Amino acid sequence: MNLEHKLEEILMRVEKPARYIGGELNSIKKNTSEELTRFAFCFPDRYEIGMSYMGLQILYHHLNRTDHTYCERVFAPAADMENEMRQANLPLFTLETKTPLREMDIVGFTLQYELSYTNILNMLDLSGIPIRREMRDETSPLIIAGGPCAFNPEPLADFLDVVLVGDGEELLPEICRRYGLWKRSGLVKEAFLKEICTLRGVYIPSFYEPFYSDEGLYAGYQKRIHEAPDRVLKAIVSDIEAIDFPVKNIVPLIEVVHDRAVVEIFRGCTRGCRFCQAGMIYRPVRERSKETIHKLALEQLRNSGHQELSLLSLSTSDHSEFEAMVTALMEDCKREQISLSLPSLRLDHFSFKVLEEIQGVRKSGLTFAPEAGTQRLRDVINKNLTEEEILSALDQAIDLGWNSVKLYFMIGLPTETQEDLDGIVDLARHIMELAHKKSDHNKGRFNVTVSVSKFVPKPFTPFMWCAQDTTEAFDQKHFYLKDRLKKIKGVTYRYHDSFTSHLEAIMARGDRRIGALLYAAWEKGCRFDAWTEYFRSDIWKALLEDYSIGTNHPSVSEIPTDAPLPWDVIDCGVSNAFLRQEYESALKGYATPDCRYGCNDCGINAYTPCPWGGVL
Amino acid sequence: MNRYVFRFTKTGSMRFISHLDLQRLFRRMFKRLEVELMYSKGYNPHPKMNIAQPLSLGFESNSEYLEIETEKSYDIIDMIKRGNEALTEGIVLTAGIEAVPSPKNLSSIVEYAEYAVCLPTGGLLISNEALDYFNSQKSIIVNKRDKKTKKKVEKDVKHLIYRLTWTQTDENELRIHTILRAASNEVLNPMLLMEALCESVGISFEQETCRIVRTDLYCLEDGILIPLLDFCGSGKEGLYEKRKEK
Ligand code: SF4
């Protein structure tokens, strides 16, 4: 029985079979010829999650617009599908042409969050591709990965042939083009790796060998091949206005997390929050002009029939033409009955006018992310948002008829004390008091949701040397907050499991030896670790014990600022000196102003122009 | 006000998308065509668009029906042509008609559905006597799952079967043609009937390998079955048959 036939039978039994059929509007069908480089874009989570991710649409477009490469999509099958596939001996396949992954040229994974790593191992296994690099041979597809987590690729180094660091729009098609030439050359795989290892953004794990101290600490790395660069600088697209952005997006047939047109308005961020990895690794800020954004948005809407438009960036209001852009978009959306959603707005007078306009009577989604409870700690993390600003924004919001607000905080931040936890409670209380004072304006009940996440130290941030709280400490803080917040009427408190954050830190800052832990976890059945219902804390806890990863493990404890770091081999463009200086300022409680008030010498402008210093 | 009725297919892997998915697909299609649908009144207005009879997930169909209401008038042929460019493989508009506005929507006038079924017999030739016996029973009992209690209950569905005929071309497959009750308050799922038939003639039944294609929907006029599209347009004027593409 052939693959398609087997598949049809299986699809009659599984949940949401349309996850596995492809055939969506604007998905690409190419004639598969020998000349084409066949690329499988793998998102290591479910279809509904992966199809809501804009990066997939961007790279799908950039690969398929070439005539040398055909990019197809693959997602992690859900548990019921996995069982069926294993029983029927059905290998993992691409959605577009139902080609088994092991017959593809390149299998590429996007690394969006650490807790998807076991899915990568599982997807390789479901494809019949040996998981460990050393078990693969010349006939195996090239296994590559990219995305934000690729900035510390070491935990996955044993499984990957190539890691792409930085912007993929130019680099990925170039790798595929060269792959096609190499395929016809008859040379061995190693020759191809040697050829591409000099391209900016390409890291070949097998060309580098980490070594460890007698105490078992990471101590540095050796190059195995002299052609390989000493450090791998991330790939940078200097001008995003000049490169294509997709306007014929694939439109999912089933409901996904975000079913909407999306335009990336800029990449990067000038604010410099010290816990935020995205704010560092995506530097410098690169904008699209408001005209381009407008044009892209309309074209996307026309080609998809979507009813919603969203703008993508780390901080929407920071676009230099924000007001004019939003005013123009709003007009068009209103006329075409498209709902416009503007995430991460700074709540000033203009934003309220906009929200009033686009949300009308159905007011929703007023959110603030103070991240910390006191001004002192907000200065430490460089989050430039004061209590006065929050309260005055809420004052307006209540007048305009909003009756709920969501606040996002992080606990376990460096230097945090009990006072900072009290600060969270106080802020929630002050908001409720304000709401009561104004209750004649506001007849209904007011609601504050306090959502608390846990600090995870991330590579290439000023806090990359910091310890993470133990799960016990997190839990204590959680109960402390819970006890106090539940006494305030109208406050809802949200909190997530501490142990997953602990694992996240281990994978985020781990070295190459974490690969063995991942492999063992996968072998014991761990999948979809980011899903509460599938997360096997029992297995993970036992494994951490087996691998003696305790609270003093370097991935979760404090690291001296002069110690070698597992991700030293990667260069994100922002200098270590800058990160160290930011860390010192943090410990002293000094804030660093937004770059737009003056360049802070992060170092990225040594590699690409950065015009933002002092523009305000 | 204008009312348009379309006939469309749902074949190939598109049989795995749900009724809700299909509604979303058509909403987006009309959005792309810039066809403005009328909206219902109220706090949560929804577009006046209706699919005649939900098709079970996994069934294919040659003849499904969709109706819309619009304020402006549109060219039906143009809508079908451009609509097919905005749809995906397997979902094809094959005919359309400008219908008389009606207080009753399609869902409420459908009475019967016609199906073509391919039943694998696992190398057995089924005798005509065995099939005749099944068909001529006084009552035909199926095992239906009760919606509330989730328990299987036996139900006589003889009166819901309008027609049931068969041909066996080789020892691996039985082809069945059947017309079953499909009114909004009384429906017989062909899968249940096939299960009962298999049991009666002594072959094993598997849902996954039983292929069902809905071939048309009918309403009833003076005891005669009339295909839905013919019923909606008085006569055949305005009917547009899409040429089969290669
Ligand atoms: S180069 Fe200067 S302005 Fe540009 S991101 Fe770095 S610190 Fe900010």
Side-chain angles (χ1 to χ4, degrees), chain A residues 269-270 283-285 574 578 595-596 598-606 610-614:
Chain A
C269 179
T270 51
R283 285 183 181 216
V285 165
V574 170
F578 171 77
C595 297
R596 287 170 300 170
C599 175
N600 295 307
D601 288 323
C602 74
I604 192 71
N605 51 359
C610 177
W612 300 100

Side-chain angles (χ1 to χ4, degrees), chain A residues 8-9 11-13 18 21 23-25 251-255 259 302-305 307 336 338 362, chain B residues 13-17 21 24-25 27-28 31-32 43-44 57-58 85-88 207-209 211:
Chain A
E8 275 178 9
E9 275 191 42
L11 291 182
M12 293 290 285
R13 286 190 293 260
I21 62 175
E24 306 93 327
L25 179 68
V251 186
L253 290 160
I254 58 173
E255 202 167 1
D259 228 336
R302 205 169 305 128
N303 291 331
S304 64
Q307 321 252 12
E336 310 263 326
I338 304 285
R362 286 200 227 183
Chain B
S13 53
M14 288 308 131
R15 69 179 184 277
F16 295 115
I17 72 167
D21 298 332
R24 243 196 334 266
L25 185 72
R27 257 182 93 161
R28 280 196 296 253
K31 188 96 198 162
R32 284 188 66 190
Y43 185 68
N44 207 347
L57 204 74
E85 284 159 26
L87 289 169
T88 65
Q207 210 168 350
E208 299 86 275
T209 53
R211 297 205 51 157

Side-chain angles (χ1 to χ4, degrees), chain A residues 229-250:
Chain A
D230 294 344
R231 285 185 83 197
V232 175
L233 179 64
K234 74 166 178 187
I236 305 171
V237 172
S238 310
D239 183 5
I240 64 165
E241 174 87 356
I243 58 164
D244 256 33
F245 190 79
V247 290
K248 281 193 95 174
N249 296 18
I250 306 168

